[in-house]
Amino acid sequence: MSDKKISRRDILKLGTTGAMGIAGSIYLNKVAPFSNVAKAENHSSSHNSHNVSHTTMTDPEITEGYKMASRLLTEFDYGVTELSNGRTIRKYEVIAIDKEIEIAKGIKFPGWTYNGTIPGPTFRCTEGDLLEFHFTNQGSHPHSIHFHGIHPPEMDGIEPIAPGQSFTYRFEAKPYGLQIYHCHVLPLRGHIHKGLYGNFIIDPKTPREPAKELNMVMNAFDLDLDGANEFYTVNGYAFAFMNHPIKIKKDELVRIYLSNLTEFDLLNSFHLHANYFTYIPTGRNDNPSQFTDTIMQCQGERGILEVRFPYKGKYMFHAHVSEFAELGWMGFFEVE
């Protein structure tokens, strides 16, 4: 059985317990190489395979993967701030490093990361700030940081930075809205899929209305590198907020910074049960908004969701592709 190719649809047919057992015993060690992408090392051990075969995909245990997803939900990196001639300068340290990431209980992914997480940190600033991103590549392959937004071409992050080398990206933060960043070294799908991406928030000069703010990056993981994902997640961990719902207060404004960095699928989506939200494409108030309960994003697309919950209780959210939801992209808001 260990030599048999098993698709994600085969995993779904087995149910949650079978899915974890198959993933643990087969996918971790069957990583095929991309062109110019190193074959992942064999990091699994017999106790990993044994443990995952006796659990479910929605295990309530607090794992390292859940801790990462939960921390990324509310953590924003504003950099180190300086003032020069009345202008704010923000300095950020970014390190590319190869690191195993837990994407479901007992399931490890041999990732390429910014600052050790998948997705990477959520960088945040205000329109007009001067930004310095000091990037050091401690990974095993050339990498870069390509920021969406407006900046000089020489700061566009399309030039590879070799392992052991550094580069500082300097530019003014503009325009305001929700941007993203990712590695832009070829092959793009390999470097993005392996984990080199994250959200980049440029706040407007006039602050938005105060809200409970959440950061969500939709992503996925192809464990055997056959071009089809076996796990779909938000913030890198399958079913992160199913047994640990996101706590919300009744009637408070909730603002979600949502982006799609899923590789190997044309679209991803966000659906909220029992409520509607206002969707602001690219997070810009001058863009036409939607009042809806479901939106779709292509890779690299992003926007802001604003919502208030009028009733107490648990509200499910998930991708409105059943397969994505059943393979990890599903959770709850719990309104108190």
Side-chain angles (χ1 to χ4, degrees):
M1 185 176 182
S2 61
D3 293 326
K4 182 182 177 182
K5 272 280 196 182
I6 296 183
S7 72
R8 58 186 182 179
R9 289 171 178 81
D10 292 325
I11 291 180
L12 285 169
K13 292 175 184 176
L14 293 170
T16 56
T17 301
M20 294 298 280
I22 290 296
S25 61
I26 294 179
Y27 285 121
L28 291 183
N29 299 316
K30 305 293 285 185
V31 183
F34 281 112
S35 172
N36 197 37
V37 179
K39 185 172 182 177
E41 296 179 4
N42 181 346
H43 291 289
S44 68
S45 60
S46 59
H47 74 271
N48 278 343
S49 296
H50 174 75
N51 287 343
V52 298
S53 64
H54 295 286
T55 189
T56 66
M57 296 176 85
T58 56
D59 194 293
E61 182 179 333
I62 301 292
T63 63
E64 289 304 312
Y66 166 75
K67 289 178 183 178
M68 179 190 72
S70 180
R71 178 165 60 85
L72 292 171
L73 186 68
T74 57
E75 185 174 87
F76 304 98
D77 184 353
Y78 289 87
V80 176
T81 303
E82 297 179 1
L83 289 176
S84 177
N85 297 322
R87 296 194 68 178
T88 298
I89 302 174
R90 297 186 187 274
K91 298 184 178 182
Y92 305 83
E93 292 291 331
V94 190
I95 300 174
I97 185 171
D98 299 357
K99 183 180 178 181
E100 274 196 333
I101 299 294
E102 184 181 41
I103 62 171
K105 186 183 177 184
I107 304 297
K108 299 292 184 67
F109 178 76
W112 297 344
T113 75
Y114 291 123
N115 290 2
T117 63
I118 300 177
T122 301
F123 301 119
R124 193 160 187 176
C125 57
T126 300
E127 186 174 37
D129 290 348
L130 299 178
L131 309 181
E132 294 186 5
F133 291 90
H134 182 68
F135 174 59
T136 301
N137 183 4
Q138 294 183 1
S140 56
H141 296 267
H143 296 307
S144 69
I145 311 178
H146 165 63
F147 296 92
H148 286 220
I150 300 173
H151 45 249
E154 61 269 22
M155 295 294 141
D156 200 35
I158 59 175
E159 296 296 328
I161 307 303
Q165 299 300 307
S166 298
F167 183 81
T168 299
Y169 300 94
R170 294 183 175 91
F171 53 90
E172 181 181 345
K174 62 181 180 181
Y176 84 84
L178 177 56
Q179 315 294 348
I180 58 169
Y181 66 93
H182 57 84
C183 183
H184 212 288
V185 174
L186 299 176
L188 292 178
R189 72 175 194 167
H191 286 248
I192 292 175
H193 165 255
K194 290 281 277 183
L196 292 168
Y197 50 78
N199 277 351
F200 170 39
I201 300 169
I202 302 179
D203 290 317
K205 292 181 180 180
T206 300
R208 301 181 191 272
E209 180 181 353
K212 181 181 182 69
E213 297 197 316
L214 305 172
N215 177 74
M216 292 187 179
V217 177
M218 299 187 291
N219 55 356
F221 299 92
D222 171 17
L223 293 177
D224 61 356
L225 300 186
D226 65 350
N229 296 308
E230 285 77 51
F231 288 90
Y232 292 83
T233 77
V234 61
N235 290 1
Y237 190 73
F239 298 108
F241 306 109
M242 284 289 287
N243 284 289
H244 305 284
I246 300 169
K247 304 293 186 180
I248 303 293
K249 293 180 180 178
K250 180 178 175 295
D251 295 322
E252 79 172 324
L253 178 62
V254 179
R255 180 174 298 121
I256 301 170
Y257 298 91
L258 180 75
S259 65
N260 177 27
L261 273 300
T262 306
E263 191 58 79
F264 310 128
D265 290 283
L266 181 62
L267 298 170
N268 207 332
S269 56
F270 180 101
H271 169 55
L272 176 63
H273 283 212
N275 205 355
Y276 264 43
F277 54 80
T278 298
Y279 179 66
I280 307 166
T282 324
R284 290 192 56 86
N285 298 333
D286 50 1
N287 286 338
S289 62
Q290 295 175 258
F291 188 56
T292 182
D293 64 359
T294 306
I295 58 99
M296 294 188 299
Q297 293 180 338
C298 67
Q299 189 194 74
E301 194 169 357
R302 64 274 185 197
I304 290 176
L305 285 65
E306 292 191 340
V307 60
R308 297 180 191 269
F309 293 88
Y311 306 108
K312 295 180 181 180
K314 292 173 72 173
Y315 295 73
M316 177 174 277
F317 62 90
H318 57 81
H320 215 295
V321 177
S322 299
E323 189 175 13
F324 293 11
E326 292 170 12
L327 289 172
W329 181 184
M330 185 184 300
F332 281 105
F333 296 112
E334 186 167 3
V335 179
E336 300 173 331

